[in-house]
Every structure is written in structure tokens, then in C-alpha cells.
Amino acid sequence: QVQLVESGGGLVQPGGSLTLSCAASGPILDYHVIGWFRQAPGKKREGVSCINVNNGVTYYEDSVKDRFTISRDTAKNTVYLQMSNLKHEDTAVYYCAATVYTGNYFYPYRADLFDQWGQGTQVTVSS
């Protein structure tokens, strides 16, 4: 099974930007969708954004639409999450995850479909 390793987290001021990377130990094309999820202290995990690694179709949760951009590089087996105009409420541990399931799903809302998860990277938005 592929291992997923997140990187790129850190401390950023409100309004700032960060780019997270999710590097897979094997071909991401073995999967159907790779996504980013996050969990803030005391809150439930929530989906942020996902991408169909084969055709590039993207999915965004409403609160990050127009601020975050997900992309993939199949040659590098890496999925990226570019985050801009960051807000305090974006503070969380960000996880990437992969699934082989296909279907008419809004993948950010279906964490239950994802069976490969990384260890997470902390993003803190604070002045």
C-alpha cells in the first residue's frame, strides 16, 4: 500500500499563504481521488479539497473555495494544496488521503471512502 507523507505546514499570519505537499511512495494513478482533510482541536475532521488524479476534476468545500487550489503532479506522485488568504479558522492538522472508490460522490464529504492516510502536517494561522 502506498504511504502518504505531508509537508509544508507551519505558522503563517492571517492573509498569508502556504503550500502543502502530499508525496506518495508509489504511483498516485493507482488511486482514483486524493484529498486533503483537516482537524482543528476539539472539532470534527472535515474535508477541504479533493482531486481526481486521472482527469484532474477538483472538489472544494465552500469555506475554502476561491482561496485554496489543489493540483497534482503525476510524474512526482505528489498532490499539492495551495492556500492563500489564510484565516484563523484554517488552523488545523491537515491530512492527505487516497481512495480507489469511484462514483458520483462529493469526495470532501466522504472521508469514509478514503483508506490511505498520511500522518498530517500542522497549519497555524496566527498574528
Side-chain angles (χ1 to χ4, degrees):
Q1 291 179 331
V2 71
Q3 290 187 322
L4 304 173
V5 179
E6 303 93 336
S7 62
L11 174 64
V12 63
Q13 292 185 340
S17 300
L18 277 178
T19 297
L20 305 183
S21 299
C22 172
S25 61
I28 60 173
L29 290 175
D30 285 352
Y31 291 87
H32 180 63
V33 169
I34 293 180
W36 287 94
F37 298 80
R38 66 186 180 187
Q39 187 164 21
K43 294 189 176 181
K44 291 169 53 177
R45 181 179 55 194
E46 64 174 355
V48 176
S49 180
C50 299
I51 186 166
N52 180 317
V53 294
N54 293 287
N55 63 20
V57 170
T58 57
Y59 308 80
Y60 295 96
E61 194 272 332
D62 284 347
S63 70
V64 306
K65 206 174 293 184
D66 300 326
R67 298 190 298 125
F68 290 10
T69 302
I70 192 170
S71 62
R72 88 285 194 211
D73 185 332
T74 55
K76 294 182 178 180
N77 292 316
T78 300
V79 172
Y80 304 96
L81 185 68
Q82 294 175 275
M83 307 184 293
S84 62
N85 191 20
L86 283 161
K87 305 176 180 181
H88 289 290
E89 51 264 42
D90 294 318
T91 295
V93 177
Y94 283 70
Y95 301 90
C96 70
T99 180
V100 298
Y101 286 100
T102 62
N104 189 25
Y105 305 115
F106 185 72
Y107 284 90
Y109 290 171
R110 295 299 308 270
D112 60 302
L113 298 175
F114 292 78
D115 56 359
Q116 296 300 314
W117 291 81
Q119 294 301 305
T121 185
Q122 175 71 47
V123 172
T124 302
V125 184
S126 175
S127 53

